[in-house]
């Protein structure tokens, strides 16, 4: 990539349960390479990557990108044995915490999402997400940054589900005005939000800064509800920020979110508000 990131994949996080699968793929790649009579250098040249990267993948310390496996399957005439792991590697390339979150979002039939510092991750454009993640400290390496951006954007596939879940977003006004990246990044971000807000299964509301007397002052609130009637939620203010599924705790989050939703601008008023904010840039 332009930042010098090696596109072959990402390092395996220590203790990640996906590690044995990555190691198995690495061993299989080595077996297929040796069966094809190619050296590491020859395979690296054919794939367009460095020898050290191929060695890392074969040792199971580097997660190969799906496209690398697909190409290697062709070159090594692996008869689909490497391609069989494409979906596993698509999932493995995202950090464990993101995989768990994406799995829950993928099962949810209703998502209640209040964000007070930044645009919610499911609403972010790729360039906004990259600019935002660059502000984190300690700073991500270029490799880590691209992995986090890719993971965040991949989560947006939840909008493509059929039937789609119901989304309710409430964004604090300040998140629409903070020029993360620069003014043009924010402009394109607000334009994207307007597009998402017009989807039939999305309600997006803005909480004006002037409306300070609401329970959102304690931090973000997220509640995901599943088809079987269960759910999971989290908030900055309580439960140490950890996900909770206890019905009693979920009722607390539901109550807070309901008050926030009622005090925010209506979806129609919010569209006008975002359009006005866009016009001011």
């Amino acid at each position: 990539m332009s930042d010098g990131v090696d596109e072959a994949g990402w390092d395996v996080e220590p203790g990640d349960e996906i590690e044995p699968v990555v190691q198995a793929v690495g061993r299989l790649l080595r077996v297929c390479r040796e069966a094809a009579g190619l050296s590491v250098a020859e395979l690296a040249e054919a794939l367009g990557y460095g020898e050290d990267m191929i060695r890392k993948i074969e040792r199971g310390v580097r997660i190969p990108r799906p496209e690398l496996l697909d190409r290697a399957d062709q070159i090594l005439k692996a008869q689909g044995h490497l391609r069989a792991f494409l979906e596993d590697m698509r999932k493995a390339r995202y950090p464990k915490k993101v995989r768990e979150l994406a799995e829950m979002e993928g099962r949810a039939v209703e998502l209640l999402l209040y964000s007070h510092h930044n645009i919610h991750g499911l609403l972010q454009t790729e360039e906004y997400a990259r600019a935002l993640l660059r502000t984190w400290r300690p700073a991500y390496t270029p490799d880590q940054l691209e992995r986090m951006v890719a993971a965040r954007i991949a989560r947006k596939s939840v909008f493509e589900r059929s039937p789609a879940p119901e989304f309710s977003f409430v964004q604090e006004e300040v998140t629409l005005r903070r020029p993360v990246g620069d003014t043009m990044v924010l402009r394109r971000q607000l334009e994207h939000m307007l597009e998402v807000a017009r989807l039939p299964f999305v309600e997006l509301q803005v909480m004006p800064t002037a409306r300070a007397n609401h329970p959102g002052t304690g931090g973000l609130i997220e509640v995901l509800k599943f088809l079987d009637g269960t759910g999971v939620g989290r908030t900055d203010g309580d439960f140490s920020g950890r996900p909770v599924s206890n019905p009693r705790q979920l009722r607390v989050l539901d109550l807070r979110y309901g008050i926030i939703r009622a005090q925010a601008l209506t979806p129609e008023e919010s569209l006008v508000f975002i359009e006005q904010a866009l016009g001011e840039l």
Side-chain angles (χ1 to χ4, degrees):
M1 295 188 178
S2 58
D3 289 338
V5 178
D6 192 319
E7 294 193 43
W10 291 278
D11 289 337
V12 179
E13 292 181 273
D16 193 330
E17 73 271 6
I18 204 71
E19 186 175 17
V21 180
V22 177
Q23 291 173 341
V25 171
R27 289 194 297 270
L28 179 60
L29 178 64
R30 185 180 67 250
V31 168
C32 292
R33 174 180 60 75
E34 292 174 347
L38 294 183
S39 67
V40 171
E42 289 169 332
L43 178 58
E45 183 178 359
L47 290 171
Y49 292 109
E51 293 180 40
D52 185 56
M53 190 55 57
I54 300 303
R55 290 192 177 92
K56 285 182 178 180
I57 292 173
E58 291 190 353
R59 292 202 312 270
V61 298
R62 190 77 168 174
I63 302 167
R65 285 180 179 263
E67 32 299 13
L68 181 148
L69 278 188
D70 185 54
R71 179 67 178 144
D73 197 284
Q74 297 176 31
I75 293 171
L76 301 175
K77 296 181 172 55
Q79 299 181 332
H81 290 94
L82 290 170
R83 285 197 187 98
F85 286 94
L86 292 181
E87 188 58 33
D88 295 281
M89 293 303 97
R90 286 192 183 96
K91 294 177 181 178
R93 60 182 179 163
Y94 304 130
K96 178 181 178 181
K97 185 180 294 186
V98 177
R99 291 200 307 271
E100 293 172 346
L101 178 57
E103 188 276 330
M104 289 189 292
E105 290 172 343
R107 289 192 295 117
V109 294
E110 185 178 1
L111 297 91
L112 311 178
L113 308 164
Y114 165 72
S115 192
H116 65 312
H117 280 325
N118 302 296
I119 305 295
H120 192 277
L122 289 177
L123 293 173
Q124 291 175 14
T125 64
E126 182 173 340
E127 61 179 348
Y128 181 97
R130 182 173 288 104
L132 180 63
L133 290 168
R134 279 192 175 123
T135 69
W136 287 26
R137 294 296 181 273
Y140 288 122
T141 65
D143 190 34
Q144 292 170 330
L145 176 64
E146 292 307 318
R147 188 181 189 194
M148 293 300 296
V149 171
R152 183 160 296 187
I153 298 307
R155 286 171 50 206
K156 296 171 69 173
S157 63
V158 70
F159 288 104
E160 300 168 5
R161 281 172 44 197
S162 181
E166 292 294 323
F167 293 88
S168 171
F169 294 95
V170 179
Q171 289 285 154
E172 284 287 341
E173 176 184 347
V174 65
T175 67
L176 310 179
R177 301 193 182 280
R178 180 173 292 125
V180 172
D182 58 34
T183 301
M184 289 307 299
V185 170
L186 179 59
R187 170 176 286 279
R188 286 187 286 266
Q189 173 63 57
L190 295 184
E191 290 171 344
H192 175 68
M193 289 177 67
L194 289 173
E195 293 176 6
V196 175
R198 293 188 175 101
L199 294 173
F201 47 86
V202 173
E203 282 198 349
L204 194 158
Q205 296 173 255
V206 174
M207 177 67 78
T209 302
R211 297 183 185 176
N213 187 26
H214 65 78
T217 54
L220 71 80
I221 296 175
E222 297 183 336
V223 179
L224 309 183
K225 299 183 179 182
F226 307 123
L227 190 61
D228 62 2
T230 61
V232 63
R234 70 185 182 101
T235 180
D236 288 337
D238 289 325
F239 323 127
S240 301
R242 296 191 301 269
V244 297
S245 55
N246 181 286
R248 191 171 183 178
Q249 294 170 323
L250 286 176
R251 280 198 296 273
V252 171
L253 298 182
D254 252 335
L255 172 64
R256 292 178 184 172
Y257 191 85
I259 296 172
I260 291 170
R261 195 174 188 177
Q263 293 191 16
L265 299 177
T266 67
E268 293 76 17
E269 292 169 337
S270 298
L271 280 175
V272 173
F273 191 98
I274 297 172
E275 289 170 346
Q276 290 175 341
L278 186 56
E280 294 169 6
L281 293 176

